[in-house]
Amino acid sequence: VETMEQGVLLMRLGCGMAQGYGIARPMQAADVPSWIVQFRPDSAWQRWANTRWDLADFPLLMAQSDHVQWVKRVMMAIEGASLMLSEGELKSHHHCRFGHWYYGRGKERYGHLTGYYDLEPIHARVHEVGVQLIRLRNAGDVQAVADLCPKLMELQNQVLEMLADLQNAVIRTL
């Protein structure tokens, strides 16, 4: 298990045991007892641990992962890596993977839930800030990029919080 999303996916598939960097780094056997005492699972793991979940809800989890990956690609690009997003994926909140989910399966399955439509303006703003960051990077304005990066991270967190609320709403309907 490397990520929170992988852990949740495995739990949803019925896996009760896992290992990997997403849980802990390798350690000496003598360190295991103290690690067990202080270990706190990811909040998403706790949220889904005892909840039956329909396979049709997996795209909701993947949408969250897609959003995180989009932001990560923008952040890597402003640090000098290749962007790894098409122009459409960067500029349009309709054309990224999250957007495809949101306007397709997400709307069909969750459009009736409170908070679903609140995601759209924040997701659109994520793209606006991402585009602005790439433009500033291309212009060589290092300070403006540094000043704007926290805004992108704040927006990412807002989207993730709203997705967690949506997941909680799904749990309540089960």
Side-chain angles (χ1 to χ4, degrees):
V1 173
E2 301 294 323
T3 67
M4 176 278 300
E5 293 86 2
Q6 289 174 347
V8 171
L9 184 62
L10 288 169
M11 282 191 305
R12 300 293 22 107
L13 292 172
C15 180
M17 294 186 173
Q19 64 87 36
Y21 287 165
I23 299 169
R25 295 291 198 197
M27 66 185 79
Q28 297 294 319
D31 296 336
V32 173
S34 63
W35 174 83
I36 289 172
V37 169
Q38 63 78 35
F39 177 70
R40 300 291 174 264
D42 187 285
S43 62
W45 295 354
Q46 292 174 320
R47 178 171 43 250
W48 293 109
N50 298 313
T51 304
R52 292 197 46 149
W53 202 23
D54 191 316
L55 282 175
D57 290 313
F58 278 131
L60 173 59
L61 178 62
M62 296 314 301
Q64 179 177 331
S65 179
D66 290 338
H67 172 68
V68 169
Q69 192 67 11
W70 187 95
V71 172
K72 188 179 292 185
R73 287 180 175 167
V74 169
M75 295 301 287
M76 288 172 41
I78 63 174
E79 294 171 1
S82 175
L83 180 57
M84 297 175 51
L85 293 169
S86 71
E87 186 173 342
E89 290 172 313
L90 173 66
K91 293 182 176 181
S92 173
H93 64 282
H94 291 270
H95 292 106
C96 67
R97 289 176 56 105
F98 182 89
H100 287 291
W101 168 82
Y102 182 84
Y103 294 105
R105 293 185 73 177
K107 185 175 183 178
E108 290 170 14
R109 189 150 177 92
Y110 310 109
H112 67 285
L113 295 174
T114 303
Y116 174 81
Y117 290 99
D118 297 336
L119 273 165
E120 184 175 25
I122 303 213
H123 178 232
R125 183 73 179 124
V126 165
H127 281 264
E128 291 168 10
V129 171
V131 167
Q132 190 175 2
L133 280 166
I134 297 300
R135 283 188 189 138
L136 292 167
R137 180 216 54 182
N138 291 345
D141 195 339
V142 176
Q143 187 58 52
V145 167
D147 292 343
L148 191 56
C149 279
K151 182 63 179 177
L152 182 61
M153 301 315 294
E154 175 190 325
L155 290 166
Q156 173 184 313
N157 290 336
Q158 287 178 20
V159 169
L160 294 177
E161 287 172 15
M162 295 173 98
L163 287 172
D165 290 344
L166 200 56
Q167 291 170 2
N168 287 329
V170 169
I171 290 170
R172 287 189 297 274
T173 64
L174 295 177

